[in-house]
Amino acid sequence: MIGPAAVRFLHDAPLGTRVVVRYRLPEGSEAGATDALGELVERTPESSTIETRRGSVTVPDADVVAAKAVPPAPAPRGHRRSP
């Protein structure tokens, strides 16, 4: 979903849904936008919070470019054994 539909998705999705959210960075940032991939853990009327591997990211609705649900993360791989 893009634009307003992405914001509606974030506000309607059940907490705990794994999502990816593309959002604009502040003016003057090296990159124009970035992504937050993780679990939707909180929302307010003005923002959504995603718990990523690096910590919580709160994204203001006004900065959301796109958002969608994504499948669960793959299970960790086992260690290789030496022959």
Side-chain angles (χ1 to χ4, degrees):
M1 280 135 271
I2 298 174
V7 173
R8 278 193 304 278
F9 162 74
L10 290 171
H11 284 272
D12 292 342
L15 294 179
T17 301
R18 190 163 186 256
V19 298
V20 61
V21 180
R22 173 150 296 230
Y23 62 98
R24 284 185 287 277
L25 293 171
E27 190 73 31
S29 296
E30 190 173 315
T34 192
D35 297 329
L37 171 64
E39 185 176 313
L40 180 62
V41 293
E42 184 180 353
R43 66 182 151 245
T44 70
E46 299 85 26
S47 66
S48 298
T49 302
I50 296 88
E51 184 65 38
T52 72
R53 290 185 352 188
R54 295 183 179 187
S56 293
V57 176
T58 299
V59 180
D61 291 348
D63 293 340
V64 173
V65 175
K68 67 179 182 177
V70 294
R77 292 183 176 185
H79 294 288
R80 287 187 166 181
R81 293 185 180 177
S82 298

